[in-house]
Amino acid sequence: MKKKYVSTLVCTALVAAIAAGCGSSSSSTSTTAAATEAATEAAAEAEETEAAEEEAEETEAAAASEGGRVFGYTCMDGTNPFFVALEAAIRDVVEANGDTLISMDPGNDSNTQIDQIEDMISRGVEIMFVNPVDADGIIPALDLLQDADIPMFGFDTEVGDMSYLVSYAGSDNYNAGYVCGEDLAKKVPEGGDILVLDSPTMQSVTDRTNGFLDAIEASGVTFTVVGQQDAQGNQQVGNEKATDLLTAHPDVVAIFGGNDPTALGAYAAADAAGVTPLIYGVDGSPDVKALLKDTIMEGTGAQSPITIGKTIAETAYQWLNGEEVESYIPIETFLITADNVDEYGVDGWQ
């Protein structure tokens, strides 16, 4: 069926190429060449998709034939280095137990995440590791998982209704933001205007932002948020939002990013604008740690994706073995700055 689909796609593209070459203008030759190239690219993409799907099916079939379980994994953004490390930690535990992990990346799109979870249900996953794009938007997918009697284990970001989950492991996100706010108040005791790049649909980022704002309020130092926008937890979006905000408010003393990719986007925007606000992020990523000593990147509320991934995966196996597990497992967060970054290194995650 898939090969027939690929053949159909190729034929359709080639017909389009031929039709493009039937015009009477002198540009028909170049148009035909371009269309033919497009047809070739479409065919290559279709074949790659087919190969990936066949590989996934073969992996699932092999796991089933060997008696292994098939687990599902979804996170908000699979390209974020934090989630790359976290997924690898879960995969290590799953594969060490002779089981298979199917991972899908919705690319920060809630509707895509729901569709992908439905796909994984159809593939027969027995356990689902869940990190939502949108805390409330994912609920329809959780209903599907519940109807299919598939236990759910959450990580890093809470879902809108935690009763769906058997267990959850995540950083103390409020504290990760709080320690950044405390540090800013100590370093800029005169206060000033600041920018905040948050992500309201991501509960983890909301908690960090609240912690940051509560810390500066508790400090007694007067800071004024002159711009607060949704950066979607994404470096490129963070750069775009920070560029716009810095154009309007070039004299801000600090920028808080809800995660390290957002902070890196803000850092690039500030550098391009020639301004020097102190920039804080949350994650403790190698990229940010490498900038702490010699740039305006001032600090990161650090967490450990490796610890989170390993913890939730091991918790799932404990539950499968009939053990009682905690419904909520907090993971420590702490501040990394130029003063202590050598303790953690810049070559990897802590």
Side-chain angles (χ1 to χ4, degrees):
M1 180 66 71
K2 289 177 182 173
K3 289 185 177 179
K4 183 181 292 184
Y5 169 75
V6 173
S7 298
T8 301
L9 180 59
V10 174
C11 290
T12 301
L14 287 174
V15 168
I18 293 169
C22 291
S24 59
S25 71
S26 60
S27 63
S28 62
T29 300
S30 59
T31 302
T32 301
T36 302
E37 182 180 353
T40 302
E41 292 177 356
E45 291 176 2
E47 288 175 356
E48 289 176 3
T49 300
E50 176 189 351
E53 291 178 351
E54 288 181 348
E55 182 180 355
E57 290 173 359
E58 288 171 2
T59 300
E60 294 161 31
S65 65
E66 295 172 6
R69 301 182 181 93
V70 178
F71 291 31
Y73 169 97
T74 180
C75 72
M76 62 181 70
D77 180 4
T79 66
N80 184 328
F82 176 85
F83 288 113
V84 172
L86 198 155
E87 192 269 359
I90 291 178
R91 183 174 295 277
D92 285 346
V93 174
V94 170
E95 293 183 350
N97 282 275
D99 298 324
T100 299
L101 183 70
I102 301 173
S103 298
M104 291 192 176
D105 175 17
N108 268 324
D109 185 281
S110 186
N111 291 327
T112 299
Q113 186 168 50
I114 293 172
D115 291 341
Q116 289 179 343
I117 289 174
E118 190 169 11
D119 182 24
M120 283 188 274
I121 293 172
S122 70
R123 294 189 184 195
V125 298
E126 300 170 57
I127 294 286
M128 180 64 72
F129 295 110
V130 177
N131 169 269
V133 172
D134 184 311
D136 294 318
I138 199 173
I139 297 299
L142 303 187
D143 285 329
L144 293 173
L145 288 163
Q146 190 174 68
D147 292 342
D149 292 324
I150 299 172
M152 294 161 261
F153 291 80
F155 61 91
D156 181 65
T157 302
E158 297 180 17
V159 297
D161 183 348
M162 294 291 282
S163 68
Y164 282 92
L165 306 181
V166 174
S167 183
Y168 169 86
S171 298
D172 184 343
N173 285 300
Y174 180 87
N175 182 69
Y178 197 94
V179 294
C180 292
E182 279 187 320
D183 191 69
L184 173 61
K186 291 176 183 176
K187 291 175 176 174
V188 189
E190 67 276 15
D193 293 342
I194 61 175
L195 302 176
V196 173
L197 298 175
D198 59 14
S199 185
T201 65
M202 300 175 184
Q203 189 60 48
S204 58
V205 175
T206 297
D207 291 343
R208 297 165 189 174
T209 302
N210 288 339
F212 174 78
L213 295 175
D214 285 352
I216 59 176
E217 181 178 357
S219 73
V221 179
T222 302
F223 290 100
T224 303
V225 179
V226 293
Q228 183 168 353
Q229 291 194 17
D230 180 5
Q232 301 173 26
N234 181 271
Q235 184 168 337
Q236 180 178 342
V237 177
N239 178 262
E240 294 168 356
K241 299 291 187 181
T243 297
D244 291 342
L245 288 170
L246 286 171
T247 299
H249 308 285
D251 297 325
V252 295
V253 298
I255 302 174
F256 174 74
N259 64 2
D260 276 358
T262 300
L264 286 168
Y267 169 80
D271 185 59
V275 295
T276 58
L278 302 185
I279 298 177
Y280 291 86
V282 173
D283 278 337
S285 67
D287 288 342
V288 164
K289 288 188 292 184
L291 295 171
L292 291 175
K293 284 192 173 182
D294 303 311
T295 75
I296 56 175
M297 189 68 72
E298 192 64 26
T300 176
Q303 52 184 341
S304 172
I306 297 170
T307 301
I308 295 172
K310 182 179 179 182
T311 298
I312 197 60
E314 290 179 344
T315 299
Y317 278 102
Q318 291 167 3
W319 182 82
L320 285 168
N321 290 332
E323 300 177 33
E324 289 189 14
V325 298
E326 296 293 330
S327 60
Y328 192 96
I329 306 171
I331 308 297
E332 179 188 11
T333 54
F334 48 92
L335 183 69
I336 298 180
T337 67
D339 294 334
N340 65 350
V341 67
D342 287 340
E343 297 176 28
Y344 303 101
V346 299
D347 296 328
W349 292 89
Q350 50 284 337

PDB file of all heavy atoms in Angstrom, residues 7 19-20 24 36 40 49 79 96 114 123 161 163 217 244 259 289 330 333 335 344:
ATOM      1  N   SER A   7       4.523   5.586  -5.537  1.00  0.00           N
ATOM      2  CA  SER A   7       4.494   5.567  -6.994  1.00  0.00           C
ATOM      3  C   SER A   7       3.480   6.567  -7.522  1.00  0.00           C
ATOM      4  O   SER A   7       3.731   7.285  -8.494  1.00  0.00           O
ATOM      5  CB  SER A   7       4.146   4.156  -7.496  1.00  0.00           C
ATOM      6  OG  SER A   7       5.138   3.238  -7.088  1.00  0.00           O
ATOM      7  N   ALA A  19       3.272  18.749 -17.805  1.00  0.00           N
ATOM      8  CA  ALA A  19       2.287  19.790 -18.121  1.00  0.00           C
ATOM      9  C   ALA A  19       2.938  21.160 -18.111  1.00  0.00           C
ATOM     10  O   ALA A  19       2.647  22.026 -18.919  1.00  0.00           O
ATOM     11  CB  ALA A  19       1.131  19.741 -17.112  1.00  0.00           C
ATOM     12  N   ALA A  20       3.867  21.337 -17.170  1.00  0.00           N
ATOM     13  CA  ALA A  20       4.533  22.630 -17.081  1.00  0.00           C
ATOM     14  C   ALA A  20       5.372  22.895 -18.322  1.00  0.00           C
ATOM     15  O   ALA A  20       5.600  24.042 -18.712  1.00  0.00           O
ATOM     16  CB  ALA A  20       5.425  22.681 -15.830  1.00  0.00           C
ATOM     17  N   SER A  24       3.823  27.496 -24.320  1.00  0.00           N
ATOM     18  CA  SER A  24       4.425  27.993 -25.551  1.00  0.00           C
ATOM     19  C   SER A  24       5.498  29.038 -25.306  1.00  0.00           C
ATOM     20  O   SER A  24       6.165  29.452 -26.235  1.00  0.00           O
ATOM     21  CB  SER A  24       3.339  28.600 -26.454  1.00  0.00           C
ATOM     22  OG  SER A  24       2.690  29.654 -25.780  1.00  0.00           O
ATOM     23  N   THR A  36      10.517  19.161 -12.710  1.00  0.00           N
ATOM     24  CA  THR A  36      11.075  17.813 -12.611  1.00  0.00           C
ATOM     25  C   THR A  36      11.902  17.675 -11.334  1.00  0.00           C
ATOM     26  O   THR A  36      11.837  16.655 -10.637  1.00  0.00           O
ATOM     27  CB  THR A  36      11.962  17.517 -13.842  1.00  0.00           C
ATOM     28  OG1 THR A  36      11.176  17.659 -15.020  1.00  0.00           O
ATOM     29  CG2 THR A  36      12.524  16.100 -13.768  1.00  0.00           C
ATOM     30  N   THR A  40      11.325  15.094  -8.225  1.00  0.00           N
ATOM     31  CA  THR A  40      12.356  14.216  -7.675  1.00  0.00           C
ATOM     32  C   THR A  40      12.467  14.391  -6.169  1.00  0.00           C
ATOM     33  O   THR A  40      12.572  13.418  -5.413  1.00  0.00           O
ATOM     34  CB  THR A  40      13.719  14.538  -8.325  1.00  0.00           C
ATOM     35  OG1 THR A  40      13.602  14.382  -9.737  1.00  0.00           O
ATOM     36  CG2 THR A  40      14.806  13.594  -7.803  1.00  0.00           C
ATOM     37  N   THR A  49       9.903   9.020   4.221  1.00  0.00           N
ATOM     38  CA  THR A  49       8.779   8.825   5.142  1.00  0.00           C
ATOM     39  C   THR A  49       8.388   7.358   5.213  1.00  0.00           C
ATOM     40  O   THR A  49       8.155   6.806   6.292  1.00  0.00           O
ATOM     41  CB  THR A  49       7.562   9.658   4.689  1.00  0.00           C
ATOM     42  OG1 THR A  49       7.928  11.038   4.676  1.00  0.00           O
ATOM     43  CG2 THR A  49       6.383   9.448   5.629  1.00  0.00           C
ATOM     44  N   THR A  79      13.217  19.122  19.537  1.00  0.00           N
ATOM     45  CA  THR A  79      14.484  19.708  19.095  1.00  0.00           C
ATOM     46  C   THR A  79      15.194  20.465  20.216  1.00  0.00           C
ATOM     47  O   THR A  79      16.377  20.791  20.085  1.00  0.00           O
ATOM     48  CB  THR A  79      14.263  20.678  17.912  1.00  0.00           C
ATOM     49  OG1 THR A  79      13.498  21.808  18.355  1.00  0.00           O
ATOM     50  CG2 THR A  79      13.525  19.987  16.773  1.00  0.00           C
ATOM     51  N   ALA A  96      17.166  -0.908  28.462  1.00  0.00           N
ATOM     52  CA  ALA A  96      17.884  -1.770  29.399  1.00  0.00           C
ATOM     53  C   ALA A  96      16.970  -2.863  29.939  1.00  0.00           C
ATOM     54  O   ALA A  96      17.445  -3.932  30.369  1.00  0.00           O
ATOM     55  CB  ALA A  96      18.455  -0.944  30.548  1.00  0.00           C
ATOM     56  N   ILE A 114      -1.853  15.785  19.864  1.00  0.00           N
ATOM     57  CA  ILE A 114      -3.028  14.919  20.042  1.00  0.00           C
ATOM     58  C   ILE A 114      -3.069  13.858  18.950  1.00  0.00           C
ATOM     59  O   ILE A 114      -3.306  12.664  19.220  1.00  0.00           O
ATOM     60  CB  ILE A 114      -4.316  15.761  20.038  1.00  0.00           C
ATOM     61  CG1 ILE A 114      -4.362  16.672  21.271  1.00  0.00           C
ATOM     62  CG2 ILE A 114      -5.553  14.856  20.002  1.00  0.00           C
ATOM     63  CD1 ILE A 114      -5.492  17.680  21.255  1.00  0.00           C
ATOM     64  N   ARG A 123      -0.768   2.047  17.609  1.00  0.00           N
ATOM     65  CA  ARG A 123       0.410   1.183  17.483  1.00  0.00           C
ATOM     66  C   ARG A 123       0.565   0.243  18.666  1.00  0.00           C
ATOM     67  O   ARG A 123       1.487  -0.567  18.707  1.00  0.00           O
ATOM     68  CB  ARG A 123       1.673   2.029  17.340  1.00  0.00           C
ATOM     69  CG  ARG A 123       1.736   2.837  16.050  1.00  0.00           C
ATOM     70  CD  ARG A 123       3.096   3.476  15.874  1.00  0.00           C
ATOM     71  NE  ARG A 123       3.148   4.327  14.701  1.00  0.00           N
ATOM     72  CZ  ARG A 123       4.281   4.765  14.163  1.00  0.00           C
ATOM     73  NH1 ARG A 123       5.444   4.428  14.697  1.00  0.00           N
ATOM     74  NH2 ARG A 123       4.256   5.545  13.094  1.00  0.00           N
ATOM     75  N   ASP A 161      -4.966  18.517  34.320  1.00  0.00           N
ATOM     76  CA  ASP A 161      -5.624  17.710  35.353  1.00  0.00           C
ATOM     77  C   ASP A 161      -4.681  16.564  35.703  1.00  0.00           C
ATOM     78  O   ASP A 161      -4.566  15.583  34.960  1.00  0.00           O
ATOM     79  CB  ASP A 161      -6.962  17.171  34.836  1.00  0.00           C
ATOM     80  CG  ASP A 161      -7.728  16.383  35.895  1.00  0.00           C
ATOM     81  OD1 ASP A 161      -7.135  16.060  36.948  1.00  0.00           O
ATOM     82  OD2 ASP A 161      -8.911  16.067  35.654  1.00  0.00           O
ATOM     83  N   SER A 163      -4.854  14.281  37.777  1.00  0.00           N
ATOM     84  CA  SER A 163      -5.445  12.997  38.173  1.00  0.00           C
ATOM     85  C   SER A 163      -5.335  11.948  37.073  1.00  0.00           C
ATOM     86  O   SER A 163      -5.502  10.757  37.328  1.00  0.00           O
ATOM     87  CB  SER A 163      -6.909  13.185  38.569  1.00  0.00           C
ATOM     88  OG  SER A 163      -7.707  13.537  37.439  1.00  0.00           O
ATOM     89  N   GLU A 217       9.775  40.827  43.775  1.00  0.00           N
ATOM     90  CA  GLU A 217       8.840  41.571  44.636  1.00  0.00           C
ATOM     91  C   GLU A 217       9.237  41.425  46.097  1.00  0.00           C
ATOM     92  O   GLU A 217       9.231  42.397  46.862  1.00  0.00           O
ATOM     93  CB  GLU A 217       7.413  41.065  44.422  1.00  0.00           C
ATOM     94  CG  GLU A 217       6.382  41.818  45.262  1.00  0.00           C
ATOM     95  CD  GLU A 217       4.958  41.341  45.021  1.00  0.00           C
ATOM     96  OE1 GLU A 217       4.759  40.459  44.169  1.00  0.00           O
ATOM     97  OE2 GLU A 217       4.043  41.871  45.687  1.00  0.00           O
ATOM     98  N   ASP A 244      12.032  42.938  19.073  1.00  0.00           N
ATOM     99  CA  ASP A 244      10.967  43.943  19.073  1.00  0.00           C
ATOM    100  C   ASP A 244      10.920  44.717  20.386  1.00  0.00           C
ATOM    101  O   ASP A 244      10.792  45.954  20.404  1.00  0.00           O
ATOM    102  CB  ASP A 244       9.616  43.278  18.814  1.00  0.00           C
ATOM    103  CG  ASP A 244       9.485  42.743  17.394  1.00  0.00           C
ATOM    104  OD1 ASP A 244      10.274  43.169  16.526  1.00  0.00           O
ATOM    105  OD2 ASP A 244       8.606  41.892  17.154  1.00  0.00           O
ATOM    106  N   ASN A 259      12.970  29.637  29.519  1.00  0.00           N
ATOM    107  CA  ASN A 259      13.883  28.507  29.418  1.00  0.00           C
ATOM    108  C   ASN A 259      15.160  28.985  28.745  1.00  0.00           C
ATOM    109  O   ASN A 259      15.264  30.138  28.308  1.00  0.00           O
ATOM    110  CB  ASN A 259      13.250  27.319  28.679  1.00  0.00           C
ATOM    111  CG  ASN A 259      12.926  27.613  27.225  1.00  0.00           C
ATOM    112  OD1 ASN A 259      13.194  28.688  26.699  1.00  0.00           O
ATOM    113  ND2 ASN A 259      12.329  26.643  26.556  1.00  0.00           N
ATOM    114  N   LYS A 289      25.612  27.667  29.878  1.00  0.00           N
ATOM    115  CA  LYS A 289      26.712  27.620  30.846  1.00  0.00           C
ATOM    116  C   LYS A 289      28.019  28.110  30.221  1.00  0.00           C
ATOM    117  O   LYS A 289      28.836  28.752  30.885  1.00  0.00           O
ATOM    118  CB  LYS A 289      26.870  26.195  31.386  1.00  0.00           C
ATOM    119  CG  LYS A 289      25.755  25.780  32.342  1.00  0.00           C
ATOM    120  CD  LYS A 289      26.025  24.446  33.017  1.00  0.00           C
ATOM    121  CE  LYS A 289      25.992  23.288  32.057  1.00  0.00           C
ATOM    122  NZ  LYS A 289      26.173  21.986  32.746  1.00  0.00           N
ATOM    123  N   PRO A 330       9.318  15.683  43.049  1.00  0.00           N
ATOM    124  CA  PRO A 330      10.032  16.932  42.713  1.00  0.00           C
ATOM    125  C   PRO A 330      11.530  16.677  42.527  1.00  0.00           C
ATOM    126  O   PRO A 330      12.133  15.872  43.227  1.00  0.00           O
ATOM    127  CB  PRO A 330       9.766  17.814  43.932  1.00  0.00           C
ATOM    128  CG  PRO A 330       9.590  16.837  45.062  1.00  0.00           C
ATOM    129  CD  PRO A 330       8.925  15.617  44.464  1.00  0.00           C
ATOM    130  N   THR A 333      16.168  22.096  41.896  1.00  0.00           N
ATOM    131  CA  THR A 333      16.682  23.118  40.982  1.00  0.00           C
ATOM    132  C   THR A 333      17.579  24.077  41.771  1.00  0.00           C
ATOM    133  O   THR A 333      17.423  24.235  42.976  1.00  0.00           O
ATOM    134  CB  THR A 333      15.546  23.925  40.324  1.00  0.00           C
ATOM    135  OG1 THR A 333      14.692  24.468  41.350  1.00  0.00           O
ATOM    136  CG2 THR A 333      14.728  23.056  39.389  1.00  0.00           C
ATOM    137  N   LEU A 335      20.680  27.621  41.150  1.00  0.00           N
ATOM    138  CA  LEU A 335      21.208  28.648  40.253  1.00  0.00           C
ATOM    139  C   LEU A 335      22.655  28.354  39.861  1.00  0.00           C
ATOM    140  O   LEU A 335      23.484  28.003  40.703  1.00  0.00           O
ATOM    141  CB  LEU A 335      21.142  30.012  40.937  1.00  0.00           C
ATOM    142  CG  LEU A 335      21.592  31.206  40.085  1.00  0.00           C
ATOM    143  CD1 LEU A 335      20.595  31.457  38.954  1.00  0.00           C
ATOM    144  CD2 LEU A 335      21.748  32.451  40.954  1.00  0.00           C
ATOM    145  N   TYR A 344      30.020  22.469  37.600  1.00  0.00           N
ATOM    146  CA  TYR A 344      29.104  21.663  36.793  1.00  0.00           C
ATOM    147  C   TYR A 344      29.613  21.402  35.379  1.00  0.00           C
ATOM    148  O   TYR A 344      29.136  20.487  34.714  1.00  0.00           O
ATOM    149  CB  TYR A 344      27.736  22.362  36.728  1.00  0.00           C
ATOM    150  CG  TYR A 344      27.161  22.608  38.102  1.00  0.00           C
ATOM    151  CD1 TYR A 344      27.240  23.870  38.698  1.00  0.00           C
ATOM    152  CD2 TYR A 344      26.580  21.576  38.826  1.00  0.00           C
ATOM    153  CE1 TYR A 344      26.742  24.100  39.965  1.00  0.00           C
ATOM    154  CE2 TYR A 344      26.056  21.800  40.091  1.00  0.00           C
ATOM    155  CZ  TYR A 344      26.152  23.057  40.670  1.00  0.00           C
ATOM    156  OH  TYR A 344      25.663  23.265  41.919  1.00  0.00           O
TER     157      TYR A 344
END
